[in-house]
Amino acid sequence: MKSKAHRKIPPNLQCGLDLVGEVLYGKWKIRLLWFINQGHKRPSELHKKIPDASRRVLTMQLNELLDHELITKTVFPEVPPRVEYELTPFGQTLIPVIRAIGEWGDEHEARLRGLIEHPNRYEDV
Amino acid sequence: MKSKAHRKIPPNLQCGLDLVGEVLYGKWKIRLLWFINQGHKRPSELHKKIPDASRRVLTMQLNELLDHELITKTVFPEVPPRVEYELTPFGQTLIPVIRAIGEWGDEHEARLRGLIEHPNRYEDV
DNA sequence: TCCCTATGGGATAAATTTCTCCCATATTGT
DNA sequence: ACAATATGGGAGAAATTTATCCCATAGGGA
């Protein structure tokens, strides 16, 4: 439980960008969708792909993706439990968009690395 | 000042998506870039377009966009001051990506609104 | 003289997100 | 008997983001 239901500051949802923000704004969501699409379905696999995030947050963000019907969750009745997430058809429609984002990052990798590691607002380049 | 320089938890920057996250992750950044591209250059105009954000955050996020060389800032020596932001050529390369995001949101507007307003993880639809 | 203008940023509080630690599950292997 | 397994989630602390309030600027108008 505890999606983003009881926020004291409610969001405004005017344009498409606002709406996307609601379902995609979350530090790891885009990467989760991406890796799930690549076939990394299990929580443990996803955690290996995104080691910077704690298991807890990943679980929570996966739950939000579930809420928003971007992924499905299958729990196999085994012990220890096995869980698999998959993209819904709706979630799949996001893949081209995410691919575009990732490609932009790849194209500008060197520059981005430089900017992130040496931010300088007051100097020319 | 005070970009994201002194974070206690440093980010990992492996793939393109990680890099994009660093420069685009911020509640209003994408919308700021979008509206600047649409010709809304002044801080006050941008605030009108994004009334949910406080003036303070917008300024801060604009500063980060400056740090990352996605926009430029021109201060006209007038009183009261006039300021204009514009996309750099680098920032312009992001516009097609942002457009793709926004279009996805527009295409699925109705569904997204429903999901956001009535999240139900445990019920079928 | 005082207020209005548009903008930036300091200080501090509030809200939100994330981290860390810990417990629970049921079966297989030591 | 007990550890190990993969997963989920509660609780409270820590980190980060955002909101609020307030001050400063310098010229024009009431």
Side-chain angles (χ1 to χ4, degrees), chain B residues 72-90:
Chain B
T72 58
K73 173 179 182 176
T74 308
V75 182
F76 294 86
E78 306 174 0
V79 170
R82 181 161 62 97
V83 170
E84 287 188 3
Y85 292 98
E86 284 189 84
L87 295 185
T88 61
F90 183 40

Side-chain angles (χ1 to χ4, degrees), chain A residues 40-52:
Chain A
H40 302 94
K41 307 179 175 183
R42 306 183 58 178
S44 49
E45 292 180 273
L46 292 168
H47 191 208
K48 275 174 207 154
K49 298 298 287 183
I50 313 177
D52 282 348

Side-chain angles (χ1 to χ4, degrees), chain A residues 20-95:
Chain A
V20 179
E22 278 301 300
V23 301
L24 235 45
Y25 193 72
K27 193 156 189 170
W28 313 102
K29 286 188 184 177
I30 290 183
R31 271 159 280 193
L32 283 171
L33 292 171
W34 183 249
F35 289 129
I36 290 173
N37 179 245
Q38 290 197 326
H40 302 94
K41 307 179 175 183
R42 306 183 58 178
S44 49
E45 292 180 273
L46 292 168
H47 191 208
K48 275 174 207 154
K49 298 298 287 183
I50 313 177
D52 282 348
S54 67
R55 215 168 28 116
R56 196 82 177 80
V57 211
L58 290 185
T59 302
M60 291 191 300
Q61 303 216 341
L62 285 165
N63 282 339
E64 291 183 9
L65 294 174
L66 278 170
D67 284 342
H68 294 143
E69 297 177 5
L70 294 169
I71 60 176
T72 59
K73 173 180 183 175
T74 308
V75 181
F76 294 86
E78 306 173 1
V79 170
R82 182 159 62 96
V83 172
E84 287 188 2
Y85 293 97
E86 285 189 83
L87 295 185
T88 61
F90 183 40
Q92 288 169 24
T93 64
L94 257 176
I95 293 303

Side-chain angles (χ1 to χ4, degrees), chain B residues 8 11 24 41 46 59 72-73 77 82-83 90 109:
Chain B
K8 296 197 177 178
L24 236 44
K41 306 180 176 182
L46 292 168
T59 303
T72 58
K73 173 179 182 176
R82 181 161 62 97
V83 170
F90 183 40
E109 172 174 350

Side-chain angles (χ1 to χ4, degrees), chain A residues 11-25, chain B residues 27-28 30-31 35 49-52 101-102 105-106 112-113 116:
Chain A
N12 267 31
L13 309 169
Q14 303 180 353
C15 62
L17 283 177
D18 293 325
L19 293 162
V20 179
E22 278 301 300
V23 301
L24 235 45
Y25 193 72
Chain B
K27 193 156 190 169
W28 313 104
I30 291 182
R31 270 159 281 193
F35 289 130
K49 298 297 288 182
I50 313 177
D52 282 348
I101 298 172
D106 288 333
L112 288 168
R113 271 184 208 287
I116 292 166

